[in-house]
Amino acid sequence: VTVEEALREAETLLGDGGVATPRVDAEWIVGHVVGLRRAELPVARARPLGGHEREQMRELVARRAGREPLGYVLGEWGFRRLALKVDGRALVPRPETEALVSRCLELLRGVTEPEVLDVGTGSGAIAISIADEHPGARVTALDSSADALALARENLAASSLNGRVKLVEADLADALPAGPFDLVVSNPPYVPAVEIEELAPEVRDWEPRAAILDAGQTEAVAHAALGVLRAGAPLVLETHWDAASRVAALLAELGYSGVTITRDLGGIERVVEGRRP
Ligand SMILES: C[S@@+](CC[C@H](N)C(=O)[O-])C[C@H]1O[C@@H](n2cnc3c(N)ncnc32)[C@H](O)[C@@H]1O
């Protein structure tokens, strides 16, 4: 089997499985197996796959055709400048969350050694990115899931940022670390229970329910952050696609000032921020 034949076989199986982008996913999987980037595949069309590669390719394609998220199948996922390990212990970090990190970095510009708190860190994507891209930032990253924190710990160990990110296992409903923080960021679970069944199988059946189901975490973070932010410091929240104005109203009601909504790259109102009075 050549790379070209493998791509065709994979594309067919993924299409039969109902994967929305079978060609692109086939390229990711075949590229991963033969150790080439997607852009390099056209010139490697005639390269034969070894027996082991073929077996691995079929195993990964079968998993993806079963609608396991591509990130879990590949075992790693790009987020800003990082290649993060991802698996069923935490949410696959999303492109819209990269916009959340951009906004945090803009707000931290000019603050030389900010103390940052990431609530619901999952894979560690936000916390590790902020430490990676702001040379003076010290980040505390909290999650109630021991599994997610174990994955974040592996991602942190693979970075050179060990000394600047602290991982804490705690439920945000109990208490947030004391601070004071120069910025609190969170991408909380925000899918309402009534929408869970309508989600793509990749999310509904594979990602941790505790990472996606809205159980009031947005409101809880907005309340609790008031007790740990420095006066004038921002809270930055990712929101559901149709919830930004509701979350903005909540922040204003709680007394946050300068409440602002920022759109993601898809033009959707996604990030809501406000400053502790
Ligand atoms: C949407 S995921 C975000 C993961 C990661 N920050 C990202 O953006 O990819 C939400 C995270 O919040 C955590 N979480 C949910 N409820 C929580 C709570 N009450 N206290 C602390 N963490 C919680 C989940 O375990 C999950 O890892």
Side-chain angles (χ1 to χ4, degrees):
V1 175
T2 63
V3 162
E4 183 162 7
E5 288 162 343
L7 283 169
R8 241 183 286 133
E9 179 186 325
E11 184 179 357
T12 303
L13 290 168
L14 296 173
D16 291 348
V19 171
T21 52
R23 177 68 192 186
V24 172
D25 287 34
E27 290 173 0
W28 274 107
I29 291 172
V30 173
H32 176 79
V33 166
V34 301
L36 293 173
R37 288 198 300 268
R38 278 177 62 212
E40 295 171 321
L41 290 174
V43 290
R45 279 196 309 256
R47 175 198 185 287
L49 269 70
H52 174 69
E53 288 175 336
R54 207 156 93 191
E55 219 174 277
Q56 195 196 359
M57 188 270 289
R58 291 198 169 132
E59 185 207 316
L60 298 185
V61 167
R63 285 173 58 191
R64 183 70 189 106
R67 306 300 294 275
E68 189 171 343
L70 183 61
Y72 292 173
V73 170
L74 300 175
E76 75 168 23
W77 201 243
F79 184 82
R80 297 184 67 92
R81 310 197 309 202
L82 308 170
L84 293 171
K85 181 172 179 181
V86 291
D87 58 35
R89 289 176 289 178
L91 192 90
V92 180
R94 306 292 204 267
E96 48 270 30
T97 305
E98 298 188 283
L100 179 73
V101 172
S102 290
R103 192 62 201 133
C104 293
L105 291 167
E106 280 165 25
L107 290 163
L108 290 173
R109 205 173 288 147
V111 189
T112 44
E113 290 193 337
E115 291 286 344
V116 176
L117 174 65
D118 172 21
V119 182
T121 199
S123 63
I126 298 170
I128 301 173
S129 281
I130 290 177
D132 179 41
E133 296 185 51
H134 188 307
R138 283 189 299 262
V139 188
T140 303
L142 170 144
D143 208 291
S144 52
S145 157
D147 275 353
L149 277 180
L151 177 64
R153 193 163 296 115
E154 289 169 32
N155 279 320
L156 185 56
S159 74
S160 53
L161 302 159
N162 252 316
R164 292 204 287 120
V165 181
K166 189 170 111 191
L167 301 172
V168 177
E169 185 179 337
D171 193 306
L172 76 95
D174 295 336
L176 293 180
F181 293 100
D182 298 292
L183 183 143
V184 174
V185 56
S186 184
N187 173 20
Y190 55 63
V191 180
V194 291
E195 288 180 21
I196 293 279
E197 283 313 309
E198 295 158 25
L199 294 171
E202 283 84 350
V203 185
R204 187 191 61 213
D205 302 338
W206 292 92
E207 296 198 286
R209 196 50 63 94
I212 55 175
L213 178 65
D214 178 355
Q217 293 93 338
T218 298
E219 291 76 6
V221 177
H223 276 99
L226 284 171
V228 300
L229 279 167
R230 256 185 234 291
L235 166 68
V236 193
L237 295 171
E238 183 171 321
T239 63
H240 192 39
W241 66 270
D242 70 349
S245 48
R246 188 177 54 74
V247 174
L250 166 75
L251 295 196
E253 240 171 70
L254 289 173
Y256 286 89
S257 63
V259 176
T260 306
I261 298 175
T262 309
R263 292 176 190 268
D264 64 19
L265 292 174
I268 294 173
E269 292 186 335
R270 184 68 73 181
V271 177
V272 180
E273 74 197 47
R275 290 182 182 273
R276 201 207 107 177

